[in-house]
Amino acid sequence: QKLWKSVDLLPFFWCVSKEYTMPPARFNKKGKGKKKATDPFDKKDWYNIKAPRMFTSTNAGVTPVNRTQGNNIASDNLKGRVVTVNLAELQSNEKYAHTNVKLKVDEVQGKHCLTNFYGLSYTTDKLKSLVKKWQTLVEANVDAKTTDGYNVRMFCIGFTKQRDNQVAKCCYAQTSKVKQIRARMVAVMSKEATAGTLQDLVKKLISNKIGESVSRQVQGIYPMRDIGVRKVKILKAPRYDPVKLLELHGEGKAAGRKVKA
């Protein structure tokens, strides 16, 4: 009986399959050909990135951007762009290779992008090389405001080390000692950041003046090594001033000089 039922359904399926027709091939339709492969960089221009004068070398590389077309203006697309550059290239010295610097594009002049300092951080391999067993890692962070109105957040790092003629392998610091060291780190970072402008702060960060100052103050609490500011963030910047930006790039100094009568 089941066999007869299946046989009765055969004509129905046969009719359906007979009426079905395949759609025409895609390439037979008019105006539906393949798009020509083009290089996207043919429509882009290259702009030079200029770092502020606080660094030894002002040439920070190049960046591509789509050409101006209609309402899509190239300079508007460049403004606000953040680039990461290794400090060794900006200082022309390999000893700074463990630090990356962030620069933010604030103005475009011709084919040059004028940038300002936007952040700083240690490279991953540097941080991982510092962390070791049998020691205590001490970290501290602080928010401070420079005299020219920049709110910055700084992160300091340091490691305990063995005392002279120490026999024991480990050099762990007590929690009370760690709290004292952290308080000194916060005090020094706040003092150095609020004492000058952002340009002065960047110079201190490059020379690791803050780390050396902290190191001198905490040696009486516990012997420390490799103290430094591992990261800096710009939380809030003052309103954009083109005159101050040109002064950072050494182009607006003549405008502000006093003229003798």
Side-chain angles (χ1 to χ4, degrees):
Q1 194 175 0
K2 288 181 181 178
L3 182 65
W4 281 107
K5 281 183 180 179
S6 61
V7 171
D8 291 341
L9 293 172
L10 280 174
F12 171 73
F13 286 111
W14 182 75
C15 291
V16 172
S17 62
K18 198 171 182 182
E19 290 174 8
Y20 178 74
T21 54
M22 291 288 289
R26 188 180 291 275
F27 55 83
N28 287 342
K29 294 179 182 178
K30 291 183 180 179
K32 289 284 183 178
K34 283 186 177 180
K35 284 187 178 180
K36 207 171 186 180
T38 56
D39 186 10
F41 279 89
D42 289 342
K43 297 179 181 179
K44 294 181 187 288
D45 286 331
W46 291 89
Y47 285 72
N48 297 317
I49 300 167
K50 292 294 178 186
R53 291 277 179 175
M54 60 184 83
F55 302 104
T56 305
S57 174
T58 56
N59 186 17
V62 292
T63 184
V65 69
N66 290 327
R67 256 186 228 109
T68 301
Q69 192 173 10
N71 293 329
N72 191 17
I73 300 165
S75 61
D76 291 345
N77 292 334
L78 282 168
K79 285 176 185 175
R81 186 174 288 189
V82 178
V83 295
T84 304
V85 190
N86 194 270
L87 187 58
E89 296 175 9
L90 294 175
Q91 293 295 105
S92 303
N93 194 332
E94 284 299 317
K95 76 175 184 178
Y96 299 107
H98 62 273
T99 307
N100 288 330
V101 176
K102 284 183 179 180
L103 301 172
K104 186 178 179 182
V105 178
D106 281 345
E107 188 59 62
V108 179
Q109 287 186 344
K111 288 285 182 182
H112 300 293
C113 300
L114 304 183
T115 62
N116 197 358
F117 178 81
Y118 191 68
L120 174 144
S121 63
Y122 279 179
T123 55
T124 309
D125 60 318
K126 172 67 174 176
L127 278 174
K128 289 181 177 179
S129 69
L130 292 173
V131 179
K132 295 175 184 176
K133 292 194 293 183
W134 320 118
Q135 64 181 14
T136 303
L137 185 152
V138 184
E139 276 191 303
N141 64 79
V142 66
D143 292 356
K145 189 173 184 179
T146 60
T147 53
D148 52 352
Y150 285 88
N151 287 341
V152 296
R153 179 173 292 161
M154 297 190 291
F155 300 82
C156 187
I157 194 169
F159 305 88
T160 58
K161 67 176 182 179
Q162 292 179 333
R163 298 179 187 277
D164 295 335
N165 304 320
Q166 182 175 325
V167 178
K169 184 167 60 173
C170 62
C171 50
Y172 299 122
Q174 293 176 335
T175 308
S176 59
K177 302 281 186 186
V178 172
K179 286 182 179 178
Q180 290 177 34
I181 292 167
R182 195 176 289 124
R184 294 287 177 89
M185 285 179 172
V186 170
V188 171
M189 285 192 293
S190 298
K191 182 184 174 184
E192 295 290 346
T194 55
T197 62
L198 181 69
Q199 188 173 358
D200 299 331
L201 179 62
V202 172
K203 288 178 180 177
K204 290 174 185 176
L205 293 169
I206 292 170
S207 62
N208 197 26
K209 184 182 175 184
I210 296 173
E212 290 170 1
S213 180
V214 173
S215 183
R216 283 194 300 270
Q217 292 201 26
V218 301
Q219 291 306 324
I221 302 169
Y222 203 97
M224 299 284 289
R225 66 168 180 86
D226 295 318
I227 299 176
V229 179
R230 67 169 182 87
K231 192 174 186 179
V232 178
K233 289 181 181 179
I234 301 288
L235 299 177
K236 190 177 179 182
R239 186 173 288 181
Y240 170 66
D241 187 356
V243 177
K244 286 184 178 178
L245 183 68
L246 290 173
E247 284 178 4
L248 279 176
H249 288 266
E251 297 176 20
K253 288 180 180 178
R257 284 179 187 166
K258 292 183 179 179
V259 181
K260 290 182 180 179

